[in-house]
Coordinates of all heavy atoms in Angstrom, one line a residue:
H236 N 33.9 17.1 -26.3 CA 33.3 18.4 -25.8 C 32.9 18.3 -24.3 O 32.4 17.2 -23.9 CB 31.9 18.5 -26.6 CG 32.1 18.7 -28.1 ND1 32.4 19.9 -28.7 CD2 31.9 17.8 -29.1 CE1 32.5 19.8 -30.0 NE2 32.3 18.4 -30.3
N242 N 37.1 24.4 -23.0 CA 37.4 23.8 -24.4 C 38.3 22.6 -24.2 O 39.1 22.5 -23.3 CB 38.0 24.8 -25.3 CG 37.0 25.8 -25.8 OD1 35.8 25.7 -25.9 ND2 37.5 27.1 -25.8
G243 N 38.1 21.6 -25.0 CA 38.9 20.4 -25.2 C 39.3 20.3 -26.6 O 39.7 21.2 -27.3
V244 N 39.3 19.0 -27.0 CA 39.5 18.7 -28.4 C 38.5 19.5 -29.3 O 38.8 20.1 -30.3 CB 39.5 17.3 -28.7 CG1 39.6 16.9 -30.2 CG2 40.6 16.5 -28.0
G245 N 37.2 19.6 -28.7 CA 36.2 20.4 -29.4 C 35.8 21.5 -28.4 O 36.2 21.5 -27.3
P246 N 35.0 22.5 -29.0 CA 34.6 23.5 -28.1 C 33.6 23.0 -27.0 O 32.9 22.0 -27.3 CB 34.0 24.5 -29.0 CG 33.4 23.6 -30.1 CD 34.4 22.5 -30.3
S247 N 33.5 23.7 -26.0 CA 32.5 23.5 -25.0 C 31.1 23.7 -25.7 O 30.9 24.6 -26.5 CB 32.7 24.4 -23.8 OG 31.5 24.2 -22.8
L248 N 30.1 22.8 -25.2 CA 28.8 22.9 -25.7 C 27.8 23.6 -24.7 O 26.6 23.7 -24.9 CB 28.3 21.5 -26.1 CG 29.1 20.9 -27.2 CD1 28.5 19.6 -27.6 CD2 29.1 21.9 -28.5
V251 N 25.4 26.3 -26.2 CA 25.5 26.3 -27.6 C 24.3 26.6 -28.4 O 24.3 27.3 -29.4 CB 26.0 24.8 -28.0 CG1 24.9 23.7 -27.8 CG2 26.4 24.8 -29.5
R254 N 24.0 30.1 -30.0 CA 25.4 30.6 -30.3 C 25.5 30.5 -31.8 O 25.1 29.7 -32.6 CB 26.3 29.7 -29.6 CG 27.9 30.2 -29.8 CD 28.9 29.1 -29.3 NE 28.6 28.7 -28.0 CZ 29.2 27.6 -27.5 NH1 29.9 26.8 -28.3 NH2 28.8 27.3 -26.3
K255 N 26.4 31.6 -32.4 CA 26.8 31.6 -33.7 C 27.8 30.4 -33.9 O 28.8 30.3 -33.1 CB 27.4 32.9 -34.1 CG 27.8 33.0 -35.5 CD 28.3 34.4 -35.9 CE 28.8 34.4 -37.2 NZ 29.6 35.5 -37.6
A256 N 27.7 29.6 -35.0 CA 28.5 28.5 -35.3 C 29.9 29.1 -35.5 O 30.1 30.1 -36.1 CB 28.0 27.8 -36.5
G257 N 30.9 28.4 -35.0 CA 32.3 28.9 -35.2 C 32.7 30.0 -34.3 O 33.8 30.6 -34.7
D258 N 32.0 30.3 -33.2 CA 32.3 31.4 -32.4 C 32.2 31.0 -30.9 O 31.1 31.1 -30.3 CB 31.3 32.5 -32.7 CG 31.6 33.9 -31.9 OD1 32.7 34.1 -31.5 OD2 30.6 34.6 -31.7
F259 N 33.3 30.7 -30.3 CA 33.5 30.4 -28.9 C 34.8 30.8 -28.5 O 35.8 30.2 -29.1 CB 33.0 29.0 -28.5 CG 32.9 28.7 -27.1 CD1 31.8 29.2 -26.4 CD2 33.8 28.0 -26.3 CE1 31.6 29.0 -25.1 CE2 33.7 27.8 -25.0 CZ 32.6 28.3 -24.4
A260 N 35.0 31.6 -27.5 CA 36.2 32.0 -27.0 C 37.2 31.1 -26.8 O 36.8 30.1 -26.1 CB 36.1 33.1 -25.8
G261 N 38.4 31.2 -27.2 CA 39.5 30.3 -27.0 C 39.5 28.9 -27.8 O 40.3 28.2 -27.6
F262 N 38.6 28.8 -28.8 CA 38.7 27.6 -29.6 C 38.9 28.1 -31.0 O 38.3 29.0 -31.6 CB 37.4 26.8 -29.5 CG 37.5 25.5 -30.2 CD1 38.0 24.5 -29.4 CD2 37.1 25.3 -31.4 CE1 38.2 23.3 -30.1 CE2 37.2 24.1 -32.0 CZ 37.9 23.1 -31.4
R263 N 39.7 27.3 -31.7 CA 40.1 27.5 -33.1 C 39.2 26.7 -34.0 O 39.3 25.4 -34.0 CB 41.6 27.3 -33.4 CG 42.0 27.8 -34.6 CD 43.5 27.6 -34.8 NE 43.7 26.9 -35.9 CZ 44.9 26.5 -36.4 NH1 45.9 26.7 -35.6 NH2 45.0 25.9 -37.6
F264 N 38.2 27.3 -34.7 CA 37.2 26.6 -35.6 C 37.9 26.4 -36.9 O 38.6 27.3 -37.4 CB 36.0 27.4 -35.5 CG 35.2 27.2 -34.2 CD1 35.4 28.1 -33.3 CD2 34.3 26.1 -34.0 CE1 34.7 28.1 -32.0 CE2 33.6 26.0 -32.8 CZ 33.9 27.0 -31.8
S265 N 37.3 25.5 -37.7 CA 37.6 25.4 -39.1 C 37.0 26.7 -39.8 O 36.0 27.2 -39.4 CB 37.0 24.0 -39.7 OG 35.6 24.3 -39.7
R266 N 37.6 27.0 -41.0 CA 37.3 28.0 -41.8 C 35.7 27.8 -42.3 O 35.0 28.6 -42.3 CB 38.0 28.2 -43.0 CG 37.7 29.3 -43.9 CD 38.7 29.6 -45.0 NE 39.9 30.0 -44.4 CZ 41.1 29.7 -44.9 NH1 41.2 29.0 -46.0 NH2 42.3 30.1 -44.2
A267 N 35.5 26.4 -42.5 CA 34.1 26.1 -43.0 C 33.0 26.4 -42.0 O 32.0 27.0 -42.3 CB 34.1 24.6 -43.4
L268 N 33.3 26.1 -40.7 CA 32.4 26.4 -39.6 C 32.2 27.9 -39.4 O 31.1 28.4 -39.2 CB 32.7 25.6 -38.4 CG 31.6 25.3 -37.5 CD1 30.4 24.6 -38.2 CD2 32.0 24.4 -36.3
K269 N 33.4 28.6 -39.3 CA 33.4 30.0 -39.1 C 32.6 30.8 -40.2 O 31.9 31.8 -39.9 CB 34.7 30.6 -39.0 CG 35.4 30.2 -37.7 CD 36.7 31.1 -37.4 CE 37.8 30.7 -38.4 NZ 39.1 31.3 -38.0
S270 N 32.7 30.3 -41.4 CA 32.0 31.0 -42.5 C 30.6 30.5 -42.9 O 30.0 30.9 -43.8 CB 32.9 31.1 -43.7 OG 33.1 29.7 -44.2
S271 N 30.1 29.5 -42.1 CA 28.9 28.8 -42.4 C 27.7 29.8 -42.2 O 26.7 29.5 -42.9 CB 28.7 27.6 -41.5 OG 28.4 28.1 -40.1
W275 N 23.3 28.1 -33.9 CA 22.8 26.8 -33.5 C 21.5 26.9 -32.8 O 21.4 27.2 -31.6 CB 23.9 26.2 -32.5 CG 25.2 26.0 -33.1 CD1 26.4 26.3 -32.7 CD2 25.5 25.1 -34.3 NE1 27.4 25.9 -33.6 CE2 26.9 25.1 -34.5 CE3 24.6 24.4 -35.2 CZ2 27.3 24.5 -35.6 CZ3 25.1 23.8 -36.3 CH2 26.5 23.7 -36.4
Y283 N 22.9 19.4 -38.6 CA 24.4 19.2 -38.4 C 24.6 17.7 -37.7 O 25.5 17.1 -38.1 CB 24.9 20.3 -37.5 CG 26.4 20.2 -37.4 CD1 27.3 20.6 -38.5 CD2 27.1 19.8 -36.3 CE1 28.6 20.7 -38.4 CE2 28.4 19.9 -36.2 CZ 29.2 20.2 -37.3 OH 30.7 20.2 -37.1
V291 N 27.8 21.2 -43.1 CA 28.8 22.2 -43.2 C 30.0 21.5 -43.9 O 30.9 21.0 -43.2 CB 29.2 22.7 -41.8 CG1 30.3 23.8 -42.0 CG2 27.9 23.4 -41.2
G293 N 33.4 20.6 -45.3 CA 34.8 21.0 -44.9 C 35.1 21.3 -43.5 O 36.1 21.6 -43.0
N294 N 33.9 20.9 -42.7 CA 34.3 21.1 -41.1 C 35.2 19.9 -40.8 O 35.3 19.0 -41.5 CB 32.9 21.1 -40.4 CG 32.4 19.8 -40.1 OD1 32.8 19.0 -39.2 ND2 31.4 19.4 -40.9
V295 N 35.7 20.0 -39.6 CA 36.7 19.0 -39.2 C 36.3 18.1 -38.1 O 37.1 17.3 -37.6 CB 38.2 19.6 -38.9 CG1 38.7 20.3 -40.1 CG2 38.0 20.7 -37.7
M296 N 35.0 18.2 -37.7 CA 34.6 17.3 -36.7 C 34.5 15.9 -37.1 O 33.7 15.6 -38.1 CB 33.2 17.7 -36.1 CG 32.8 17.0 -34.9 SD 31.4 17.6 -34.1 CE 30.0 17.0 -35.1

Side-chain angles (χ1 to χ4, degrees):
H236 299 279
N242 292 322
V244 173
S247 175
L248 296 180
V251 70
R254 183 190 309 159
K255 183 179 176 194
D258 185 25
F259 190 73
F262 191 80
R263 194 173 126 186
F264 290 90
S265 67
R266 183 174 295 146
L268 206 51
K269 286 193 288 190
S270 64
S271 69
W275 295 126
Y283 189 75
V291 181
N294 84 79
V295 295
M296 186 169 81

